[in-house]
Amino acid sequence: VVREEEDDDDDACRLSVRDDSCANGTHRTPQRARRGVVCSVVVVMFQIATLEDGAVKVPPANLGKSTLEAVTQELESLYVDKILPECGGMCVTLYEITKITGGTVLAGEGCVCFEVTFRVVIFKPFIGEVLEGTLTSADRYGANVSIGFFGDIFIPARMMQDPSDYDESEKVWVWNYNGERLFLDEGKKSARKSR
């Protein structure tokens, strides 16, 4: 959760950031941001988590790049678009790298190993949150939905809107709402509560 606080000196505002780390929520020192930056944001389904990796290996092919660029590339390949069970969600993007230490060459491998502290954006919707997605396919077992940046969401038949049934002749799910049959067509947007 981020909130804006007025600051008397220069044209800055203080941001109080609640950083939801993987293990527990911690409060960070307020950060400064220039006017013009959106300072009032409510983060619901996205959270920022601080992670540490003591063995980020930069391969010899990337040693010509700057340390920051090479480590960023490795972190993105290791974490982005991956489910992080310890954080309870999916890593969407690398937010920032806060510390890089080490730089030990591993004998026999040629890789350089760094200890890195970094922050990532985690997609972590809460139970009951309504998400909007596009139906990509459906069968009698359920429906596949894409929410843009993530397309591997499967809604099993038992979790479809109640009362719903699968129409074999039309090959679509039908929600019976107050006597009206509403078809969940492929390519159409729909909203669902996360469970």
Side-chain angles (χ1 to χ4, degrees), residues 70-142:
V71 168
T72 298
Q73 184 177 342
E74 287 306 306
L75 289 174
E76 286 175 343
S77 69
L78 290 169
Y79 292 94
V80 174
D81 293 334
K82 308 280 191 315
I83 300 295
L84 303 180
E86 66 276 11
C87 295
M90 184 184 82
C91 178
V92 178
T93 189
L94 179 63
Y95 184 73
E96 72 177 338
I97 296 175
T98 55
K99 186 168 99 176
I100 301 174
T101 58
T104 307
V105 178
L106 300 177
E109 288 187 37
C111 294
V112 178
C113 188
F114 294 96
E115 294 176 14
V116 184
T117 303
F118 57 101
R119 295 171 68 191
V120 294
V121 176
I122 302 291
F123 173 66
K124 184 178 179 179
F126 62 86
I127 294 173
E129 182 169 2
V130 176
L131 304 175
E132 184 178 279
T134 304
L135 185 67
T136 56
S137 65
D139 59 23
R140 64 188 178 100
Y141 300 107

Side-chain angles (χ1 to χ4, degrees), residues 143-163:
N144 291 300
V145 177
S146 170
I147 55 173
F149 64 89
F150 186 59
D152 292 336
I153 298 172
F154 178 71
I155 302 170
R158 65 178 167 39
M159 297 181 99
M160 297 298 284
Q161 290 286 87
D162 194 30

Side-chain angles (χ1 to χ4, degrees), residues 14-40:
R14 295 174 66 80
L15 298 180
S16 297
V17 180
R18 180 178 174 271
D19 183 356
D20 190 357
S21 298
C22 293
N24 59 352
T26 58
H27 291 280
R28 298 281 181 214
T29 306
Q31 301 175 356
R32 296 198 173 282
R34 290 267 160 232
R35 289 277 180 222
V37 174
V38 176
C39 293
S40 182

